[in-house]
């Protein structure tokens, strides 16, 4: 397990034992990427509220979670997606991202560091480009290269096959490259995307729950 993942796994387990400082560490580690995903679903004006609702559920249900950092990111993304879809249904609106398209095969795109990607994908211009992708592509790109899920975890979040998510992410990245080519001001953004993560073949570690403590967003 890599350093950042090991630290997140340890923080999740400590938070499950009632460590409020550890929960804040989990929140600060996961929130920026999770918020970027929510923005692709509901748009920027409502993203903070939807993400807050997701974190309230994450805090409430954390004691039921079992797994490592990768599984936690996927679990949190599923909660955020459900809250976003609930928000869309309540508002009677369509998702911020576009309609579905058929799958295409292809290799994952080469890319740069996650830190730069977070900065690049936080900009309105880049989010607007992602919003122009078909829904399956936009979600696959954000889950795989922003949230940092491997294909299996992203597939579980979306209720699809891992192969379908891989090809949707590949086509989304390819289309983003085309859109960036049409927008000279956005040159360099695609190069900042981190590599799509693949499973490392490790068994999932279980977290033992010993205490239940209430957490609120004001403590984050």
């Amino acid at each position: 397990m890599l350093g950042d993942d090991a630290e997140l796994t340890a923080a999740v387990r400590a938070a499950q034992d009632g460590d409020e400082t550890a929960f804040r560490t989990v929140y600060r580690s996961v929130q920026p990427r999770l918020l970027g995903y929510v923005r692709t679903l509901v748009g920027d004006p409502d993203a903070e509220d939807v993400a807050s609702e997701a974190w309230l559920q994450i805090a409430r249900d954390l004691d039921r979670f079992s797994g490592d950092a990768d599984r936690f990111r996927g679990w949190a993304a599923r909660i955020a997606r459900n809250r976003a879809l609930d928000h869309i249904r309540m508002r009677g609106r369509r998702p911020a991202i576009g309609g579905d398209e058929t799958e295409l095969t292809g290799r994952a795109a080469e890319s740069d560091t996650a830190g730069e990607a977070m900065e690049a994908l936080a900009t309105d211009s880049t989010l607007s480009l992602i919003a122009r992708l078909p829904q399956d592509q936009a979600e696959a790109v954000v889950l795989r290269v922003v949230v940092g899920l491997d294909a299996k975890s992203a597939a579980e979040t979306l209720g699809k096959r891992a192969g379908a998510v891989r090809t949707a992410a590949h086509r989304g990245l390819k289309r983003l490259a085309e859109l960036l080519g049409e927008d000279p001001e956005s040159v360099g953004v695609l190069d900042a995307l981190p590599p799509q993560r693949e499973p490392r073949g490790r068994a999932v570690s279980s977290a033992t729950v010993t205490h239940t403590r209430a957490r609120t967003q004001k403590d984050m």
Side-chain angles (χ1 to χ4, degrees), residues 120-144:
L121 290 172
T123 64
D124 291 341
S125 60
T126 308
L127 287 173
S128 67
L129 289 176
I130 293 177
R132 291 167 62 182
L133 297 176
Q135 180 174 346
D136 64 329
Q137 296 175 19
E139 289 199 73
V141 167
V142 175
L143 286 174
R144 295 220 61 200

Side-chain angles (χ1 to χ4, degrees), residues 35-49:
L35 181 60
Y37 177 42
V38 172
R39 279 177 176 151
T40 67
L41 291 168
V42 302
D44 191 59
D46 299 325
E48 292 277 1
D49 289 342

Side-chain angles (χ1 to χ4, degrees), residues 62-138:
L62 183 60
D63 293 330
R64 289 187 248 167
F65 170 76
S66 177
D68 61 5
D70 278 340
R71 288 191 65 86
F72 181 81
R73 292 187 189 98
W75 181 70
R78 285 193 294 278
I79 290 175
R81 187 174 196 265
N82 289 337
R83 296 289 69 76
L85 295 179
D86 286 346
H87 179 81
I88 291 164
R89 283 191 290 268
M90 182 181 68
R91 298 293 185 186
R93 292 183 350 201
R94 300 176 64 182
I97 49 184
D100 203 355
E101 278 193 6
T102 57
E103 304 166 11
L104 288 184
T105 58
R107 297 179 301 172
E110 301 264 335
S111 48
D112 201 346
T113 67
E116 292 173 350
M118 288 307 300
E119 294 179 4
L121 290 172
T123 64
D124 291 341
S125 60
T126 308
L127 287 173
S128 67
L129 289 176
I130 293 177
R132 291 167 62 182
L133 297 176
Q135 180 174 346
D136 64 329
Q137 296 175 19

Side-chain angles (χ1 to χ4, degrees), residues 6-64:
E7 290 176 9
L8 178 56
T9 298
V12 168
R13 292 176 180 174
Q16 288 181 304
D17 287 336
D19 187 329
E20 300 294 337
T21 299
F23 187 78
R24 286 193 289 271
T25 297
V26 172
Y27 174 82
R28 289 165 184 159
S29 174
V30 177
Q31 165 66 357
R33 296 167 182 266
L34 202 66
L35 181 60
Y37 177 42
V38 172
R39 279 177 176 151
T40 67
L41 291 168
V42 302
D44 191 59
D46 299 325
E48 292 277 1
D49 289 342
V50 173
S52 295
E53 292 172 8
W55 277 103
L56 289 174
Q57 182 177 344
I58 290 168
R60 185 190 70 207
D61 296 344
L62 183 60
D63 293 330
R64 289 187 248 167

